[in-house]
């Protein structure tokens, strides 16, 4: 967290529940304004009201589904048009595909990889140049302990996608740390949230 008096803004994906909503509260408590994005606009609105009431921070909402390849550009355009500068990017959006690899269609796998991998890299590529230019930036990629432990049958692409995020974060951190941009892979284990309910 930045303890200076400079106004900062954090963009958090998948912010409507779970770890994303928790991040929103933490950053707001530390004086950050927020841009929150998720598929569920009603949940985002509830969270925005709670944060504005509790912390007095400005919250800008962007309803978007990162399974849509055009979503990162839409998010960037809305943020740019609102005159907002992103200092912190939290790539948190994610879900799981239960069952074995062949239980899911290619369209399901494609959408999964779009959310879990491609959108993360896309959003990072869009907001990183500004962080480097301003010599301040924080990127948190929410990975998982699943990206570090031996694989098991089922949820075939989940651990693989999280392993990619960990390696991506490590390499990018080495590239940009000299610019006062810090990249972190967060690797939670089992966490009490809606994640496992959604996955059955």
């Amino acid at each position: 967290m930045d303890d200076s008096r400079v106004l900062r803004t954090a963009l958090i994906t998948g912010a409507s529940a779970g770890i994303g909503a928790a991040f929103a509260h933490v950053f707001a408590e530390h004086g950050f304004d927020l841009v929150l994005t998720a598929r569920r606009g009603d949940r985002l609105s509830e969270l925005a009201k709670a944060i504005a009431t509790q912390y007095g921070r400005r919250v800008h909402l962007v309803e978007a589904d990162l399974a849509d390849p055009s979503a990162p550009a839409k998010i960037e355009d809305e943020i740019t048009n609102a005159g907002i500068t992103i200092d912190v990017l939290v790539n948190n959006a994610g879900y799981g595909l239960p069952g074995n690899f062949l239980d899911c269609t290619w369209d399901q796998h494609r959408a999964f990889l779009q959310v879990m991998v491609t959108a993360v890299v896309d959003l990072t590529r869009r907001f990183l140049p500004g962080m480097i230019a301003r010599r301040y930036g924080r990127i948190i990629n929410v990975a998982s302990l699943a990206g570090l432990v031996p694989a098991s049958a089922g949820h075939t692409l989940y651990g693989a996608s999280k392993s990619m995020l960990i390696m991506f974060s490590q390499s990018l951190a080495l590239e940009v740390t000299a610019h006062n941009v810090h990249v972190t892979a967060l690797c939670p284990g089992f966490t009490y949230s809606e994640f496992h309910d959604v996955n059955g």
Side-chain angles (χ1 to χ4, degrees):
M1 297 297 178
D2 178 40
D3 59 2
S4 73
R5 297 295 181 181
V6 177
L7 179 64
R8 305 288 189 190
T9 301
L11 166 60
I12 304 170
T13 70
S16 61
I19 292 174
F23 264 121
H25 281 279
V26 169
F27 277 102
E29 184 179 4
H30 282 80
F32 285 74
D33 286 343
L34 303 174
V35 176
L36 306 179
T37 182
R39 293 178 296 112
R40 298 178 290 188
D42 55 337
R43 298 285 293 272
L44 284 178
S45 296
E46 292 174 10
L47 178 59
K49 291 175 184 176
I51 286 174
T53 300
Q54 187 170 353
Y55 307 107
R57 307 313 308 172
R58 290 184 297 177
V59 183
H60 185 88
L61 304 181
V62 182
E63 188 174 344
D65 183 355
L66 290 175
D68 180 352
S70 68
K74 172 189 173 182
I75 293 168
E76 182 186 30
D77 287 345
E78 289 203 27
I79 289 170
T80 300
N81 292 337
I84 299 171
T85 297
I86 297 302
D87 304 288
V88 176
L89 171 61
V90 181
N91 286 305
N92 167 75
Y95 63 102
L97 286 177
N100 294 327
F101 181 69
L102 292 180
D103 293 337
C104 298
T105 66
W106 168 244
D107 284 343
Q108 290 174 305
H109 286 309
R110 181 209 57 76
F112 176 84
L113 291 171
Q114 175 65 38
V115 173
M116 305 293 282
V117 176
T118 305
V120 171
V121 179
D122 193 344
L123 287 168
T124 300
R125 185 61 182 80
R126 291 174 185 277
F127 293 106
L128 179 59
M131 295 178 183
I132 291 174
R134 293 185 298 274
R135 295 195 60 79
Y136 179 91
R138 305 290 184 263
I139 298 172
I140 301 172
N141 294 320
V142 178
S144 171
L145 191 61
L148 296 168
V149 300
S152 59
H155 289 270
T156 318
L157 293 178
Y158 186 82
S161 69
K162 295 304 188 179
S163 181
M164 183 273 177
L165 288 190
I166 294 167
M167 296 296 289
F168 170 61
S169 301
Q170 290 173 336
S171 294
L172 188 60
L174 294 172
E175 293 178 21
V176 300
T177 186
H179 303 285
N180 194 34
V181 177
H182 300 278
V183 184
T184 302
L186 174 66
C187 299
F190 285 107
T191 304
Y192 184 75
S193 71
E194 296 180 3
F195 180 88
H196 296 287
D197 295 326
V198 171
N199 285 293

